[in-house]
Amino acid sequence: MMIRHYLLALQFFTRIPVTGRLATWVGYSPAMLRASAGHFPGIGWLVGGLTALFFWGAHTLLPQQAATVFVAVVLSTVFSVMLTGAFHEDGLADLADGLGGHVSREKSLEIMKDSRIGTYGAVALILALSTKFALLSLLGQVNLLATFMAIFLAHVTSRMMPLLIIKSLPHVGDTPQSKSKPLADAIDYPTLVVAAIWCVSAFALIAYVYPSWVWIAGLLAALCACWWMRRFLSHRIQGFTGDALGATQQVSELAFYLGILLAWN
């Protein structure tokens, strides 16, 4: 069942194909989707690990110039977006469109359901991607190996943060149609324990290879970002939507990189 839950999460959150007989074997039910939530950081293991390897490969193959790190960061980000189908970036854009202006809670939720992107969403995406490029490029100039590991850890850690939002806030989306509705019914503590095991094992692996307290700084920064997102969502819409979860992942990932850089000196 754990393998089926992991593959369901993989099917839900990435473009990696889980089709045909394999998809039939995995199956689907709201209860299974709730159970698969514990494997969200495990999806970070796969996406983050592949993205980190892509970054390292691109940096190795490109001509070694001043802009090499920046180009490798951009290419690896493109790769990660292709893996996930811009799933979380889409959530960030929709949330920014819904909550960027001074409109009522009901109007905000209505705007978030619109598939078209507006000014706030476009600006949020540009700023988020630009910030990611800048932070990782700077980290790459400081320590290339740390950048490789930070990409992996950030993807794992940032996928834990939406679970904390789900656990602490009610779902306020269009419940009959929302893809995130099954996750809102209840995420129990065993599910959180599974997610925590994925996270702890990732930190243990990185700490074994490259011991440093900057990883803890990154984690604390991601937790602060999650706390801020929870306060913001609670104030503006009194709960969370699927878009809010995607935005939380994006903000937490950026905060992780920033925390590492701030702690480096």
Side-chain angles (χ1 to χ4, degrees):
M1 285 302 296
M2 289 190 67
I3 295 174
R4 292 172 66 189
H5 292 158
Y6 183 87
L7 290 175
L8 182 59
L10 188 69
Q11 186 180 45
F12 196 80
F13 287 106
T14 74
R15 291 289 178 86
I16 298 173
V18 180
T19 58
R21 295 179 63 181
L22 179 59
T24 302
W25 176 75
V26 171
Y28 172 82
S29 71
M32 286 183 64
L33 183 58
R34 285 194 295 275
S36 75
H39 298 285
F40 291 175
I43 300 303
W45 266 76
L46 182 61
V47 174
L50 291 175
T51 302
L53 287 172
F54 192 96
F55 165 79
W56 192 268
H59 187 276
T60 302
L61 295 174
L62 288 168
Q64 298 304 301
Q65 301 294 328
T68 303
V69 173
F70 176 78
V71 176
V73 166
V74 173
L75 291 177
S76 63
T77 300
V78 172
F79 176 76
S80 70
V81 170
M82 291 176 66
L83 279 180
T84 63
F87 190 83
H88 305 294
E89 289 82 359
D90 177 66
L92 174 65
D94 286 343
L95 186 74
D97 277 332
L99 302 183
H102 295 285
V103 296
S104 67
R105 173 180 180 271
E106 291 70 24
K107 184 64 175 177
S108 294
L109 293 173
E110 181 182 344
I111 292 172
M112 278 187 268
K113 290 185 289 183
D114 192 335
S115 60
R116 295 170 295 180
I117 188 170
T119 301
Y120 292 115
V123 170
L125 281 178
I126 292 170
L127 291 178
L129 289 172
S130 299
T131 302
K132 182 183 293 188
F133 297 157
L135 292 174
L136 284 175
S137 296
L138 177 57
L139 184 58
Q141 294 175 28
V142 173
N143 189 304
L144 194 65
L145 181 58
T147 308
F148 171 83
M149 296 181 178
I151 291 172
F152 168 69
L153 271 186
H155 277 273
V156 176
T157 304
S158 62
R159 282 167 172 78
M160 178 72 186
M161 301 304 137
L163 300 182
L164 303 181
I165 299 292
I166 295 172
K167 188 64 178 175
S168 59
L169 289 177
H171 186 272
V172 294
D174 186 7
T175 53
Q177 302 175 12
S178 174
K179 293 180 180 180
S180 61
K181 175 58 173 67
L183 300 176
D185 289 337
I187 286 187
D188 55 21
Y189 285 105
T191 300
L192 289 178
V193 169
V194 172
I197 290 173
W198 280 112
C199 287
V200 171
S201 59
F203 275 88
L205 174 63
I206 296 303
Y208 175 77
V209 177
Y210 192 112
S212 174
W213 76 281
V214 299
W215 312 126
I216 303 301
L219 173 61
L220 292 176
L223 287 170
C224 288
C226 179
W227 172 81
W228 181 86
M229 285 294 296
R230 184 194 179 283
R231 281 178 57 93
F232 179 66
L233 294 170
S234 179
H235 174 69
R236 290 298 305 273
I237 57 176
Q238 293 79 58
F240 76 90
T241 64
D243 292 327
L245 300 181
T248 298
Q249 185 278 326
Q250 287 287 289
V251 173
S252 299
E253 182 183 348
L254 294 177
F256 189 92
Y257 300 137
L258 179 60
I260 289 176
L261 283 168
L262 291 175
W264 198 267
N265 290 329

